[in-house]
């Protein structure tokens, strides 16, 4: 005699190898119902509706129920046990039943996405404005005054970025459960700091330096790279706008698609369009900043870092926090390792440690290290995003925390 098979359950917990498992796992599911244990039930669909009653009552379309079921690990194979060809067909029956039971007519309006108001739009422009003021102050001052201006500018831009990530399209507010991203913020700050000082330090280290601390100028022994960082700060505005457009477009398609596969096919071009539009805006900002500051624009390292930060934020705002933290941490660790190997190679008998970095710097310059690290991490996140952000469950409406 054999016991009930594992696949007889309605769902397996996402994050443990179930069909709803993403790169960063998922929320714990309700305990799975066993079809074999419910043989005495006259209406198994009614039992499922009872388990997901809140989801059914607040849904504005059958696809929204399908998205919720998908998020809880219910697959087409599960739906077949309820005599339905797929999850969407099962969701249609559940939606029709809940509308009939509550005497509520079907509603087919799209889940509303708030317009990008003046406040969130202003927050998106604030980091760029403060960064431009800080760069101007650094260039117009000298000595200890320049050091104080630089420190004040870092604090001001950091607070502005924090405000941008707490409110508006780039925030994760309203997520259930809320998105906690302490690791993501730490690695983001490290990568931005490396973009400002890392290339200069690596170039000086490969040449045998640096001979002193940075003087916050582009011509010092430890050069300051301001053009890419200024462009990235100014790109917060385009990032907020493109993220808002992607969210609004995806929410609209949740209620206009006729199935989960159709939704995925329709959202994929929207995701690539958002990604490409942001990179075009960032490239234009890099060209302008390089020309105004009379510095190299650093296209390779800045575009790859911008792509990585945008994809990490897109995933975070939709509740996927593990993959961005891993990708950002890997990119930051690569830059730190490159610097560490160059300095470690100065120890007796350790000269071979710097060979890979020396080869890369000789071929592409100091910017080749962050470009390779951030580019690889961004590509991994893009592949992950095409799988997770094209699922309807990633765009299901979320209830705000009380």
């Amino acid at each position: 005699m054999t016991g009930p098979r594992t696949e007889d359950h309605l769902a397996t917990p996402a994050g443990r190898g179930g069909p709803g498992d993403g790169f960063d796992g998922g929320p714990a599911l309700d305990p799975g119902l066993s079809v074999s244990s419910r043989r005495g039930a006259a209406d198994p669909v009614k039992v499922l509706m009872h388990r997901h009653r809140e989801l059914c009552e607040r849904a504005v379309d059958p696809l929204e129920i399908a998205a919720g079921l998908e998020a809880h690990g219910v697959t087409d194979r599960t739906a077949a046990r309820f005599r339905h060809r797929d999850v969407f067909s099962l969701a249609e029956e559940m939606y029709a039943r809940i509308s009939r039971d509550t005497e509520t007519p079907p509603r087919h309006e799209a889940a509303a996405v708030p317009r990008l108001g003046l406040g969130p739009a202003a927050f998106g422009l604030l980091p760029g404005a403060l960064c431009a003021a800080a760069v101007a102050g650094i260039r117009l001052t000298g000595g200890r005054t320049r050091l104080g201006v630089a420190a004040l500018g870092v604090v001001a831009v950091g607070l502005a970025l924090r405000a941008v990530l707490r409110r508006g399209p780039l925030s994760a507010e309203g997520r259930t459960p809320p998105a906690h991203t302490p690791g993501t913020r730490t690695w983001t700050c490290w990568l931005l700091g490396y973009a400002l000082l890392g290339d200069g330090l690596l170039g000086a280290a490969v040449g045998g330096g640096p001979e002193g601390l940075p003087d916050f100028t582009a011509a010092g022994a430890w050069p300051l790279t301001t053009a890419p960082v200024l462009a990235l700060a100014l790109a917060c505005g385009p990032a907020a706008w493109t993220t808002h457009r992607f969210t609004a477009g995806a929410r609209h398609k949740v209620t206009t698609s006729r199935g989960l596969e159709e939704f995925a096919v329709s959202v994929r071009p929207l995701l690539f369009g958002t990604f490409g539009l942001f990179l075009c805006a960032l490239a234009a900002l890099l060209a302008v900043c390089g020309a105004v500051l009379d510095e190299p624009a650093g296209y390779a390292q800045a575009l790859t870092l911008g792509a990585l930060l945008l994809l990490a934020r897109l995933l975070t705002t939709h509740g996927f926090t593990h993959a961005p933290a891993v990708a950002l941490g890997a990119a930051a660790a690569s830059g730190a390792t490159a610097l560490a190997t160059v300095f470690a190679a100065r120890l007796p008998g350790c000269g071979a440690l710097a060979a890979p970095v020396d080869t890369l710097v000789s071929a592409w310059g100091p910017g080749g290290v962050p470009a390779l690290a951030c580019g690889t991490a961004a590509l991994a996140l893009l592949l992950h995003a095409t799988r997770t952000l094209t699922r309807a469950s990633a765009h299901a409406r979320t209830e705000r925390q009380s």
Side-chain angles (χ1 to χ4, degrees):
M1 179 180 296
T2 59
R5 294 181 302 173
T6 304
E7 62 265 21
D8 285 337
H9 294 282
L10 284 178
T12 57
R16 294 189 181 181
D21 187 21
F23 182 72
D24 57 308
L29 305 177
D30 295 333
L33 294 174
S34 174
V35 174
S36 60
S37 65
R38 297 289 183 177
R39 294 186 187 279
D43 190 352
V45 176
K46 190 172 183 179
V47 176
L48 185 64
M49 290 175 62
H50 178 73
R51 276 293 178 97
H52 301 283
R53 184 171 184 83
E54 183 181 355
L55 168 66
C56 296
E57 288 179 345
R58 64 183 175 86
V60 300
D61 188 87
L63 188 60
E64 192 164 339
I65 296 179
L69 294 177
E70 180 193 51
H72 284 79
V74 179
T75 65
D76 289 343
R77 185 177 180 181
T78 306
R81 303 188 190 107
F82 292 91
R83 302 183 184 279
H84 285 275
R85 66 182 183 276
D86 52 32
V87 176
F88 185 68
S89 175
L90 175 61
E92 282 186 319
E93 179 181 346
M94 294 171 65
Y95 182 72
R97 285 194 184 192
I98 199 69
S99 300
R100 182 174 63 248
D101 294 345
T102 60
E103 298 182 355
T104 302
R107 301 163 293 168
H108 293 282
E109 68 272 13
V113 175
R115 295 176 62 88
L116 187 60
L118 181 60
F123 275 129
L125 299 175
L126 187 60
L130 291 176
C131 188
V135 170
I138 290 173
R139 292 198 159 208
L140 295 175
T141 57
R144 293 184 177 179
T145 304
R146 176 183 292 159
L147 180 61
V149 170
L152 182 61
V154 169
V155 173
V157 174
L159 291 175
L161 285 173
R162 185 171 182 268
V164 169
L165 299 182
R166 289 175 64 91
R167 293 187 57 187
L170 295 178
S171 71
E173 61 180 353
R175 273 282 139 194
T176 306
H180 299 290
T181 57
T184 301
R185 293 173 185 171
T186 300
W187 298 129
T188 299
C189 292
W190 167 267
L191 289 171
L192 291 174
Y194 188 96
L196 186 65
L197 293 168
D199 288 351
L201 175 59
L202 182 60
V206 170
E211 298 178 355
L213 296 176
D215 59 0
F216 296 98
T217 65
W222 184 347
L224 189 71
T225 310
T226 54
V229 176
L230 177 58
L232 288 168
L234 292 170
C236 286
W241 183 82
T242 53
T243 300
H244 178 266
R245 296 310 306 163
F246 173 73
T247 302
R251 293 276 183 88
H252 175 71
K253 291 183 183 298
V254 164
T255 54
T256 58
S257 300
R258 289 295 303 165
L260 297 176
E261 183 62 30
E262 180 182 335
F263 175 82
V265 171
S266 64
V267 168
R268 196 168 290 115
L270 184 62
L271 174 62
F272 289 137
T274 298
F275 183 64
L277 187 60
F278 171 78
L279 289 185
C280 289
L282 179 57
L285 289 171
L286 285 168
V288 172
C289 292
V292 171
L293 299 178
D294 193 24
E295 293 182 9
Y299 289 103
Q301 56 266 45
L303 286 174
T304 52
L305 176 56
L308 176 60
L309 294 178
L310 176 72
L311 291 169
R313 204 61 209 168
L314 273 176
L315 288 164
T316 298
T317 57
H318 288 86
F320 302 97
T321 58
H322 180 69
V326 170
L328 291 170
S334 298
T337 301
L339 287 171
T341 54
V342 172
F343 286 107
R346 299 178 182 180
L347 298 175
C350 298
L353 291 176
V357 177
D358 289 340
T359 302
L360 187 59
V361 171
S362 299
W364 294 351
V369 171
L372 181 60
C374 294
T376 303
L379 180 60
L381 276 192
L382 181 60
L383 294 175
H384 176 56
T386 58
R387 188 165 58 92
T388 55
L389 297 184
T390 55
R391 296 201 311 239
S393 56
H395 306 279
R397 294 189 303 168
T398 55
E399 299 295 327
R400 295 193 179 276
Q401 300 296 307
S402 55

